[in-house]
Amino acid sequence: MAMRVATREVLTGSQRQKMDPSDDTMFYDSPKIVQHVDDGFRAQLTQLYRERLPPGGTMLDLMSSWVSHLPPEVTYAKVVGHGMNAEELSRNPRLDSFFLRNLNVDPTGWALADNSLDAVLCTVSVQYLQQPERVFGEVLRVLKPGGVFIVSFSNRMFFTKAIAAWRDGTDYSRIQLVKQYFGACPGYEQPEVINRVSVPEDPSLLGKFWTAAGALGGGMHDPFHAVLARKKMEA
């Protein structure tokens, strides 16, 4: 029987509301084979994964899609995906398996063993969670002691599907909100906030092109934010 993780509520009822209250299953019924953030954000995220995820580890890519942004040269023992569109997930070459679940309806009870994962990833999707406290608690359950949960996000979103607390916030308030989600579960260590990751210069012609293009564009990129925390060793 899966252990139960105690959590406290962070959001009020009104903060959990979405502009579009229709069934999320309908919204995600059609595959969205697009990039949701720009090249600069994705490069920083892949570098963060390169630095923080253990090679050979077991991962869960939560609220995943057709791409996981994992470093291509690193091999992991197993990468499990979660999402709401089977076609998107089946196109993701890094996933060894996946499962479908609407976390706003069933945030807990995943078919994953206690203390079984080295890392859980959530990329540009936390803004859609209406029961984030319970989801963060379930992540805590499946993480091994010392395992890490990395939540990354920018300022992009499907506006009508983001919760009010996120939609009406700022970059700063959203960072604080994710920290509160971690704090709702006493089994996490103190969260770490990362707003920039140094990416090694790409010496290829294409890499030089994108560097020049960024300079010409005034350096305007999707802002990068990640909040991460490890499961306490005694949790």
Side-chain angles (χ1 to χ4, degrees):
M1 185 176 180
M3 70 178 182
R4 300 187 65 178
V5 176
T7 62
R8 64 174 178 80
E9 290 196 355
V10 171
L11 301 176
T12 64
S14 62
Q15 288 178 312
R16 301 177 195 272
Q17 298 305 308
K18 300 183 178 187
M19 293 179 68
D20 176 4
S22 64
D23 189 343
D24 289 335
T25 304
M26 297 171 58
F27 181 80
Y28 293 105
D29 187 57
S30 299
K32 296 171 176 60
I33 312 300
V34 297
Q35 295 286 3
H36 298 285
V37 281
D38 66 15
D39 292 339
F41 183 103
R42 300 198 307 271
Q44 290 186 79
L45 183 60
T46 297
Q47 183 62 25
L48 179 63
Y49 288 166
R50 187 176 284 116
E51 296 172 0
R52 299 301 183 99
L53 300 180
T58 302
M59 315 290 163
L60 169 62
D61 191 2
L62 193 67
M63 306 176 78
S64 185
S65 181
W66 64 282
V67 62
S68 289
H69 310 293
L70 293 166
E73 77 282 1
V74 180
T75 301
Y76 303 99
K78 187 174 184 180
V79 181
V80 178
H82 154 267
M84 292 186 63
N85 186 283
E87 182 176 342
E88 287 185 25
L89 296 170
S90 65
R91 293 193 186 193
N92 189 327
R94 297 309 300 263
L95 301 183
D96 297 295
S97 63
F98 64 81
F99 65 98
L100 304 179
R101 194 179 191 91
N102 184 346
L103 297 180
N104 289 332
V105 176
D106 296 305
T108 61
W110 310 342
L112 295 167
D114 297 351
N115 307 309
S116 60
L117 300 174
D118 295 294
V120 178
L121 319 172
C122 182
T123 305
V124 294
S125 295
V126 67
Q127 60 266 30
Y128 307 120
L129 290 174
Q130 291 182 285
Q131 301 185 64
E133 305 95 333
R134 298 183 68 190
V135 172
F136 275 59
E138 186 74 347
V139 170
L140 186 67
R141 177 185 72 79
V142 300
L143 277 175
K144 298 176 182 178
V148 64
F149 184 19
I150 301 178
V151 181
S152 59
F153 51 93
S154 188
N155 57 5
R156 293 200 194 189
M157 68 190 88
F158 294 119
F159 197 76
T160 61
K161 282 298 185 181
I163 64 168
W166 194 277
R167 190 177 65 243
D168 300 337
T170 63
D171 283 1
Y172 176 80
S173 70
R174 292 162 186 159
I175 291 169
Q176 300 310 307
L177 190 60
V178 177
K179 289 173 66 177
Q180 290 181 65
Y181 293 165
F182 278 112
C185 311
Y188 286 110
E189 295 180 353
Q190 186 70 22
E192 176 184 359
V193 176
I194 298 172
N195 293 316
R196 183 177 177 81
V197 179
S198 295
V199 179
E201 185 176 346
D202 183 351
S204 70
L205 186 61
L206 182 60
K208 292 178 180 179
F209 169 80
W210 284 116
T211 299
L216 290 172
M220 297 299 292
H221 298 292
D222 290 340
F224 179 89
H225 306 296
V227 183
L228 60 94
R230 293 189 178 276
K231 182 175 180 176
K232 292 179 180 178
M233 294 301 296
E234 68 273 16

